[in-house]
Amino acid sequence: MSDRTPPSPTLVAAVLVAVGAVPWSVQTFVGGEVFLRFVWGGVSFEPAVTVQPLVSYPLVSGPPILLRWAGATACWLGAVVSAATNQVGLEDPRVTTGLLALAGFLNLLVALEFGVQPTRTGYPTGTAAVWLAAGWRYARADPARRRLV
């Protein structure tokens, strides 16, 4: 039996929003350029600071990597919605945790695919953040809500 009290709904929401504010991957290019890929879009710094929202990318008609990026975003948004139901006592932490774990996995695939390209390297910073949040949410859940059945 755990003596930890479950986190407040506001704290859970704040953690998940913070995860969305972290760059989900940092991509570095051979020439020293850096591209930050967030859950909501990308920021490049060469030749000038450029911000491009995720919805402006050809998600369905473009390369599969873009669809996985959108999938990670959708899972994260689903986790935020799931956590928001905690405000009225309806959240199932297993759903929130599962969606976060899946978002981290999809993001890892995106970062790895960027990382195998010869001119750039991808670092999955968001995967670490999402998986840490998922572990924290699951560990801090009411033990009765962690049962599989």
Side-chain angles (χ1 to χ4, degrees):
M1 193 145 190
S2 174
D3 61 346
R4 285 191 251 172
T5 59
S8 73
T10 304
L11 179 59
V12 172
V15 167
L16 295 188
V17 168
V19 164
V22 170
W24 278 37
S25 72
V26 176
Q27 296 155 19
T28 57
F29 293 81
V30 171
E33 299 172 41
V34 175
F35 178 78
L36 301 178
R37 191 176 50 77
F38 290 89
V39 69
W40 50 264
V43 178
S44 61
F45 300 94
E46 295 290 332
V49 176
T50 307
V51 176
Q52 188 171 357
L54 179 61
V55 295
S56 68
Y57 288 90
L59 299 176
V60 178
S61 61
I65 194 169
L66 294 177
L67 198 52
R68 286 191 285 277
W69 180 7
T73 297
C75 289
W76 173 77
L77 284 171
V80 170
V81 169
S82 176
T85 64
N86 195 6
Q87 296 288 343
V88 291
L90 296 176
E91 180 202 19
D92 186 339
R94 296 168 296 186
V95 172
T96 305
T97 301
L99 287 168
L100 288 171
L102 186 55
F105 175 72
L106 289 171
N107 182 65
L108 179 63
L109 293 177
V110 172
L112 289 175
E113 190 168 333
F114 277 127
V116 298
Q117 295 177 8
T119 61
R120 68 174 145 189
T121 304
Y123 302 97
T125 53
T127 295
V130 170
W131 284 349
L132 282 170
W136 171 81
R137 180 66 194 112
Y138 186 75
R140 296 292 302 204
D142 179 8
R145 303 289 295 199
R146 287 190 294 203
R147 290 192 309 244
L148 295 177
V149 192

